[in-house]
Amino acid sequence: MAKGEAAVGRIMDIFEDYLAERHHHPQDDFLTDLVRTARRPRGAAGRRGQRLFLLSNAFGNTPTLVAGTIGLLLDNPEVAAAMQRGELTLDQVTEEGARLLTPITYALSAGDTDDDEWETHYLAAANRDAQEFAAPDVFDPARVPNRHLTFLVGPHACLGASVAKLITGVVAEQTLRRLPGLRRSRPPTWSAAAPLHRLAHLPVAWDV
C-alpha cells in the first residue's frame, strides 16, 4: 500500500508540474487547452482530486468497457455474428456497449455560477431512460439514434472517449476472431457500482 500511494503521489506531482509549466508557458497542445478550459475546484486538495480522477478514468474505466463489451457479445452471439459478417460496425457495437455498461454511473460538474454549487448527472439512469431508448436493457447496437451520456457532452465531455472506444472495438473484434470458441464459464464479478461501475472478473473458457 505504501509503495502504491507513493507511486500515485509521484504521478500526481508529475502531472501537476506539466500543468503548471503550461500555465506559465502556453503552447498549442492538449495540456494548454486543459489548463485554459478546466474549471478547477477551490483548494489544492480539490485540484489534485480532479487530476487523479482524470488519470484514473484513463486506466480504470477502459478495461471495464473492453471486457464488458466482450461479455455482452458472448451473451448475444447473434450480435457477435452480425459484427463479424460486417452487418454491424465496431462503432455501433462500442457505442451500445458503452451505453449499457456506463463505467461512470454519475458525475459532478460545476454550476453556471462562481459559488461552490455542483450539479449531479445520473448517467446510468439517463442511459436506460425508456423515453429515450426503446427496450433500454437490451443490447442493440443497431439502435438509432443512440444518444447516450456515457462520456458526457459539451465542455464536460470525456477527453479520451475516442481512444477508449477505438481500443474497445479493436480488442473485442480481435478477441472473438482469434478465439472463435470463446464462451462464459461463470457469471462476471463486479467490484463496484457507484460512482464507478467496474468489472472485476469475466471468467471465460474456449475450445482449443
Side-chain angles (χ1 to χ4, degrees):
M1 288 296 293
K3 290 182 179 179
E5 291 176 357
V8 170
R10 178 57 180 153
I11 291 173
M12 293 303 300
D13 289 340
I14 292 172
F15 199 18
E16 291 281 356
D17 290 343
Y18 278 133
L19 293 174
E21 194 276 335
R22 287 299 188 272
H23 177 73
H24 295 292
H25 304 285
Q27 298 184 22
D28 184 19
D29 62 4
F30 160 74
L31 286 178
T32 301
D33 290 341
L34 182 62
V35 170
R36 287 172 174 168
T37 61
R39 296 198 59 175
R40 303 179 183 179
R42 289 185 174 90
R47 289 195 297 271
R48 290 178 68 84
Q50 187 183 60
R51 308 296 186 256
L52 183 59
F53 186 69
L54 177 63
L55 288 173
S56 68
N57 286 344
F59 63 79
N61 296 327
T62 301
T64 289
L65 280 177
V66 172
T69 299
I70 291 174
L72 288 170
L73 289 169
L74 295 180
D75 290 341
N76 298 270
E78 71 286 353
V79 174
M83 180 187 72
Q84 292 173 326
R85 291 194 300 267
E87 297 170 4
L88 292 170
T89 66
L90 292 183
D91 185 62
Q92 287 177 299
V93 171
T94 55
E95 289 288 355
E96 178 67 350
R99 181 190 72 83
L100 273 177
L101 295 166
T102 315
I104 301 178
T105 57
Y106 69 86
L108 300 176
S109 66
D112 295 329
T113 61
D114 293 330
D115 55 25
D116 292 329
E117 291 185 359
W118 290 80
E119 297 175 350
T120 304
H121 307 275
Y122 294 97
L123 308 180
N127 283 350
R128 299 200 182 212
D129 184 352
Q131 295 183 7
E132 176 67 23
F133 305 100
D137 297 327
V138 174
F139 181 51
D140 179 16
R143 68 171 71 247
V144 177
N146 193 355
R147 298 177 294 193
H148 63 81
L149 297 178
T150 296
F151 301 105
L152 286 175
V153 294
H156 299 290
C158 174
L159 298 169
S162 296
V163 176
K165 289 186 286 188
L166 176 63
I167 292 172
T168 298
V170 171
V171 173
E173 192 274 336
Q174 288 295 315
T175 298
L176 296 185
R177 181 183 300 277
R178 299 186 183 204
L179 298 173
L182 192 68
R183 62 185 183 279
R184 282 190 187 274
S185 60
R186 296 190 307 278
T189 301
W190 295 88
S191 62
L196 302 178
H197 186 216
R198 288 191 172 173
L199 184 61
H201 301 285
L202 181 71
V204 296
W206 64 89
D207 301 319
V208 179

